[in-house]
Every structure is written in structure tokens, then in C-alpha cells.
Amino acid sequence: MRLTELYLQPLTATLAEHPYIEDFITSFGLTIAADNNSLKHYLDQLNPDLLEDLGLSREQLQRSLDDFLNGMLALRKPLDKVESLTIIGGRNKSGEAEDFELILQPGEVTCIVGPTGSGKSRLLADIEWVAQGDTPTGRNILINGQVPDSQWRFSTEHKLVAQLSQNMNFVMDLSAEEFIQMHAESRLVTNPQEKVAQILEQANLLAGEQFRPDTPVTSLSGGQSRALMIADMAFLSKSPIALIDEIENAGIDRKKALNLLIREEKIVLMATHDPILALMGDRRLVIKNGGIAKVIMANEAERRNLQRLEEMDNQLLALRNRIRSGETLEQL
Amino acid sequence: MRFLTVSGPPSAGKTSVILRVIEALQQRQRKIGVVKFDCLLTDDDTLYAKTGVLVKKGLSGALCPDHYFVSNIEACVTWGRENDCEYLISESAGLCNRCSPHIKDITAICVIDNLSGVNTPRKIGPMLKSADIVVITKGDIVSQAEREVFASRVKQVNPGAVIMNINGITGQGAFELTSLFEAASNIDTLKGKTLRFSMPAALCSYCLGETRIGDEYQTGNVRKMEMEDKP
């Protein structure tokens, strides 16, 4: 539908087709009711004194509404699916060339290793900004093998990267259920109830301890929070890339968490020094002095050791559960 | 000289963002000036001075901070020009949510933080709603979902703005922000420019130092609340 028609048809129709207009108007401290007048008429009759009290002018409101509606109409035309992400090397802090070109695909896990300050954040920032040789590293990022649409840089709806790190907390005063509902509404998904149920179920599968839909998100344990964040990222975030920063001590089933993101076709980037997580990856990028010094591909010998590491991990997990249920560990 | 106004609620991270921006601009060998506006006291000028940029500090004291800003900003721009700054950045807090220092044709940045709550974007007036660039801070400590909800609420009240997430501690995003500065308009003076939005007015007896409470002491521009419940 064209914008001009939208302004001229009766509000009853406009508000029914575009319910978010009411929310937009409300967010400026105004009220709007469905009647037979048009949206244009509504804007024309607003009292200038009232607008000034609200810190608004008619022109500004009109401009914002135009931008908002154009954005909403554009949102209906989704961007192309991200089938691959290419990172073309630039240079490290000493100016030496990074000699690589890397293609990441949905469902693949790439681990990023290296000491603090080595340049992990810069790599992530390059990807998030879809760098075109215009950042300090001189790297280039391609999407589907091509120089990407600038939308990926600035659009809030089409963020390339969704992040999860150890430092993240929930700060809203909402229950888990209300929280997911709110996120779903902000993403304009068509079936919020279904998403809420799906995310709650999956989060509970990942968390060591179960939580109820009416638990406030701020009361969730560290593990439960992480589980909810990962499930939400898998099912509600539209970002094709999931960036995970050190979740080793998060108290969740790490393998299930990773598999969930892989199943949802995310390109997973994970900063980790946990051997199990590192061996689950398809490759490891070794970062030194601001540059990618080496790319280690997953190999058979390492994969075989993964099984042993998992057995060791399961033994520790069993001990942890015994401690939780009040047992003693004189006998291992 | 490129001039930018940076504003935002208290404690949103304006100074941290500007400090990170300075580091990124200095990588490109730019000469920078900063004007810090505050009310009673600030030490931020020493933080700025440490980075080697030129600093000017203005304290509004007993005057309305934003009226003070607009009465002084032209002279600050002249000062920046005379000192051959390539970039001049003004920092001022929007204390009443109805004020805004943004000027037509001058790149306007509003800094707002994820911890301030999802309803905050609605509560802030022209400072946020008329900004060209909205910088959201403290994204590293809230969940991705909350970041997305917050950004969508900002987008709702200012759909035309470029919205960027910046980490004021690590500086992630600051370099990217400065690449937008290259497009800021080049100016010699603010003469003839206008504010994007009028400032809130008072002009009542309390502006002139009245402290007593009661109708008989109130003169000038006074407005009363509606106390009767509507049927």
C-alpha cells in the first residue's frame, strides 16, 4: 500500500490494518481513536499549544510518522537470507597483512581464541559494522559473496549480530512470559503466544533447574538467565549471526545450547577457551596482536578426544548434582 | 570546522562516549575541541584535557542550563574556530526532558542508556526525538532481547535517526560513529542558525528568586494542575 492512501482512508480501516500506528501516537503522549476521519485530518486538527507542551511540532510529528510508516512497510519486504559471511583479512596492529579469506555458513560454529586485548572485540566489531576496509584493521566483510546493503549497518530491525555474554543480565521488571511476549511484539511476529511457549520450553530444557513462566526475569539464576537468553536468541532474534562470549561457567547444558543455535541455522561465533566448546567448533581463529594469526580446522584426532572430554565433563556434572542434592563425596 | 551537539539524560554515558570518540578521531590525526556544559560542578574537563584536546567548561549555576547553553554556544563555536579545531563537540545534559540543545543543520547526537528503562524513550522530548544520531550505551550488561526492545522503542519515537550501540568502556562502536562525523556540516559561525525546538518557558515569580509557597506569591507565567476528576 502507498503512503498517501494510508493517510487519506478512514481511521477505522487504517488502525485495523496498521495497529502499531496507535502505539506510535501514544508514545508521543497523544491519543487517537478509530473514526471515519482520515489520519491526515487527525494530524491537521492537533492543537499546536498541546503539541508544544509535549515538545513536538506538527511538522516533526508528520516527518517522524512518515519515516516510521516507511520503515514499517519496508519491514514487510525481508532482506535476502544470509547464506554466507566472508571475512577478508586486513592487517594486524603492526601493519602486517593477515593472509586469509574465510567463508562462514549457517549452522557452522567458529571459535575465537586469544588472550584479552588481542583483538577479539575488534573482529566482532568489524563483522557487526560489515567493514569495507574502513576500520583500523582494513578487513572486508561480504554477505552472500557480495558487498552488502548498507541496511545491515544501520537498521535496528536487521541487526547482523545478536550477542550473548557472561556479563549480561535481565533488568526489566517482568515475568519470563511477559518478557518474551514484549520482545515478540517489538519484533512484530505474527504468533507471539506460540513463540512464548516454544522459548519457555526450550529454555527449561537447557537450564539445570526448571523455572515457571511467572518467575520474574530478574529472579532467574545465572544458568536460567543464560538458558532463556539462548532460547530467545534462537527463536526470536532475526540476526543471522549469534555471537557468544565465554559461557563456560554459565550452568547450562552447553552442548544442547549450541545445537539449538545450529539447528536454527545461525552462524555461530564463540569466544571460548573451554576445551569441549572449542572442539565442538568447525574451526578456530587464533587472534594475536590485533590480527588473525592462524585458522585451525577441526580434525579427526581432536574430534576423537572430544568424546573423552565429554565423559570427564559428565563425571564432574554428576558430582555437581550430588552436591546439589545434599550428598557427600567421600566416594567418587 | 565540524560542530556536533551531544546531549542526553544524566549518567547516560555522554562523557565516556565522547572520550572514546576522541580516541578514534585522534587515530585520524584530527584536532578536536570539547565544550562541557554542566550545572554546579564537573571534573569531566580534566578527563578531556588528559586526552590532549582543547577544553572549555561552562557551569550554569543558578540559571536554566539549556538557556545558558544557547546564550553561550555561539561564542564557543568562535573559540573553536579561532583555535583551528577541525571538530568541536558540545556536551550538555538534558535535565528536564523537555529541553534540547540541538540546532538546525548541526549534527545532533543523543546518548541514552539501556538501563534507563523501556519507557524512557517516550519520556524524553526533542533532545531524543529530533536527534540525527541516537547512541545507546550499556548494551554489554543487559540481555540481547532487552537491547532489541529498547532500540525498537527508540526507533518508534525517532524513526529517522541512525541508531548505534556503543560501549563506553571498551569503545566498541566509537570508531564507526566517527565515520558518520565526516558527513557533519562544516561551519564558520552559528550566526543566523535556529534551535530545532523552542526551550520550555517559565518567567514567573520563582524565576526571580521567590521561595514562599502560596497563590498570593505567584505572578507571571503560572499554570495550575487539573484537580477535579473528570466525570
Side-chain angles (χ1 to χ4, degrees), chain A residues 5-17:
Chain A
E5 294 168 41
L6 208 152
Y7 275 110
L8 294 175
Q9 67 179 7
L11 274 174
T12 39
T14 310
L15 292 183
E17 288 163 23

Side-chain angles (χ1 to χ4, degrees), chain B residues 72-166:
Chain B
N72 283 285
I73 196 62
E74 189 196 351
C76 293
V77 166
T78 307
W79 166 82
R81 277 277 298 152
E82 284 170 2
N83 284 286
D84 298 321
C85 291
E86 289 168 90
Y87 284 89
L88 182 70
I89 300 171
S90 80
E91 178 194 344
S92 56
L95 299 163
C96 71
N97 286 349
R98 169 60 178 74
C99 286
S100 159
H102 302 322
I103 299 164
K104 277 183 194 153
D105 308 323
I106 301 292
T107 303
I109 302 172
C110 179
V111 180
I112 177 169
D113 79 273
N114 273 302
L115 292 182
S116 62
V118 284
N119 292 322
T120 298
R122 297 181 169 205
K123 296 183 196 167
I124 302 178
M127 175 168 77
L128 172 65
K129 290 172 180 144
S130 76
D132 302 308
I133 302 171
V134 179
V135 169
I136 305 179
T137 58
K138 305 183 194 174
D140 53 328
I141 47 177
V142 303
S143 67
Q144 174 73 28
E146 284 161 307
R147 282 160 55 155
E148 289 177 9
V149 172
F150 193 81
S152 81
R153 293 292 179 96
V154 169
K155 177 109 185 164
Q156 193 176 43
V157 296
N158 189 347
V162 169
I163 299 173
M164 296 192 76
N165 279 285
I166 292 190

Side-chain angles (χ1 to χ4, degrees), chain A residues 154-203:
Chain A
F154 299 116
S155 159
T156 47
E157 293 85 12
H158 301 293
K159 274 258 165 261
L160 199 52
V161 181
Q163 285 192 46
L164 173 76
S165 87
Q166 296 248 83
N167 301 328
M168 286 180 171
N169 292 292
F170 288 119
V171 293
M172 284 183 191
D173 284 321
L174 293 174
S175 71
E177 192 172 25
E178 292 164 337
F179 175 79
I180 307 167
Q181 178 87 25
M182 182 179 205
H183 188 203
E185 280 165 9
S186 87
R187 304 236 112 247
L188 301 174
V189 301
T190 43
N191 47 351
Q193 286 309 327
E194 204 177 297
K195 287 280 181 195
V196 171
Q198 186 182 28
I199 291 169
L200 282 172
E201 186 198 340
Q202 290 294 334

Side-chain angles (χ1 to χ4, degrees), chain B residues 176-192:
Chain B
E176 288 75 7
L177 176 61
T178 57
S179 64
L180 302 181
F181 287 9
E182 303 287 330
S185 51
N186 234 324
I187 55 153
D188 290 327
T189 173
L190 286 183
K191 236 179 230 342

Side-chain angles (χ1 to χ4, degrees), chain A residues 40-83:
Chain A
K40 182 175 181 303
H41 173 268
Y42 172 80
L43 293 171
D44 288 341
Q45 55 83 42
L46 287 169
N47 178 347
D49 290 341
L50 169 73
L51 290 177
E52 181 158 8
D53 270 344
L54 293 167
L56 282 174
S57 66
R58 224 197 69 84
E59 296 69 38
Q60 190 207 336
L61 185 64
Q62 174 80 61
R63 208 164 47 238
S64 289
L65 186 54
D66 282 347
D67 286 341
F68 181 73
L69 291 173
N70 276 324
M72 282 300 187
L73 296 178
L75 210 55
R76 297 184 173 181
K77 295 175 264 167
L79 282 181
D80 290 343
K81 190 173 179 305
V82 174
E83 309 275 6

Side-chain angles (χ1 to χ4, degrees), chain A residues 23-319:
Chain A
D23 202 36
F24 173 87
I25 296 289
T26 315
S27 73
F28 284 85
L30 296 162
T31 50
I32 187 167
D35 57 26
N36 283 325
N37 292 313
S38 66
L39 187 55
K40 182 175 181 303
H41 173 268
Y42 172 80
L43 293 171
D44 288 341
Q45 55 83 42
L46 287 169
N47 178 347
D49 290 341
L50 169 73
L51 290 177
E52 181 158 8
D53 270 344
L54 293 167
L56 282 174
S57 66
R58 224 197 69 84
E59 296 69 38
Q60 190 207 336
L61 185 64
Q62 174 80 61
R63 208 164 47 238
S64 289
L65 186 54
D66 282 347
D67 286 341
F68 181 73
L69 291 173
N70 276 324
M72 282 300 187
L73 296 178
L75 210 55
R76 297 184 173 181
K77 295 175 264 167
L79 282 181
D80 290 343
K81 190 173 179 305
V82 174
E83 309 275 6
S84 74
L85 180 88
T86 309
I87 308 173
I88 302 170
R91 54 190 173 267
N92 68 14
K93 280 181 194 158
S94 316
E96 296 153 357
E98 295 175 303
D99 188 21
F100 75 93
E101 186 174 323
L102 204 61
I103 299 174
L104 313 183
Q105 283 166 334
E108 282 182 355
V109 177
T110 302
C111 297
I112 304 171
V113 301
T116 308
S118 57
K120 286 184 279 186
S121 306
R122 186 63 252 170
L123 173 61
L124 267 322
D126 284 347
I127 294 173
E128 202 162 17
W129 183 246
V130 278
Q132 297 303 313
D134 57 353
T135 65
T137 59
R139 291 187 186 120
N140 283 276
I141 306 293
L142 305 179
I143 293 174
N144 299 340
Q146 294 182 343
V147 173
D149 193 302
S150 66
Q151 272 245 43
W152 288 111
R153 270 192 181 180
F154 299 116
S155 159
T156 47
E157 293 85 12
H158 301 293
K159 274 258 165 261
L160 199 52
V161 181
Q163 285 192 46
L164 173 76
S165 87
Q166 296 248 83
N167 301 328
M168 286 180 171
N169 292 292
F170 288 119
V171 293
M172 284 183 191
D173 284 321
L174 293 174
S175 71
E177 192 172 25
E178 292 164 337
F179 175 79
I180 307 167
Q181 178 87 25
M182 182 179 205
H183 188 203
E185 280 165 9
S186 87
R187 304 236 112 247
L188 301 174
V189 301
T190 43
N191 47 351
Q193 286 309 327
E194 204 177 297
K195 287 280 181 195
V196 171
Q198 186 182 28
I199 291 169
L200 282 172
E201 186 198 340
Q202 290 294 334
N204 270 312
L205 287 175
L206 300 180
E209 283 173 289
Q210 303 285 296
F211 63 91
R212 291 163 35 127
D214 60 356
T215 312
V217 284
T218 47
S219 314
L220 297 174
S221 72
Q224 290 166 335
S225 297
R226 241 39 81 196
L228 180 53
M229 285 179 198
I230 289 181
D232 178 273
M233 186 187 258
F235 297 109
L236 258 184
S237 170
K238 282 191 191 159
S239 307
I241 301 175
L243 165 75
I244 300 171
D245 197 3
E246 315 207 23
I247 49 161
E248 31 262 52
N249 305 317
I252 54 165
D253 190 325
R254 291 162 294 179
K255 194 173 176 181
K256 270 192 207 153
L258 213 48
N259 282 333
L260 188 61
L261 295 172
I262 293 170
R263 217 170 58 217
E264 290 304 310
E265 293 280 288
K266 301 282 181 189
I267 296 173
V268 182
L269 285 164
M270 182 164 55
T272 184
H273 298 147
D274 178 301
I276 293 184
L277 288 175
L279 295 196
M280 279 171 68
D282 296 286
R283 63 175 78 78
R284 298 204 287 282
L285 308 184
V286 184
I287 307 212
K288 267 185 202 149
N289 189 31
I292 296 178
K294 194 156 69 164
V295 181
I296 302 173
M297 299 305 291
N299 65 56
E300 257 321 292
E302 274 198 345
R303 280 271 154 90
R304 275 197 300 277
N305 283 335
L306 178 60
Q307 206 178 347
R308 266 197 61 211
L309 286 172
E310 281 174 347
E311 282 162 18
M312 286 157 72
D313 194 52
N314 283 335
Q315 283 168 3
L316 264 180
L317 192 67
L319 295 179

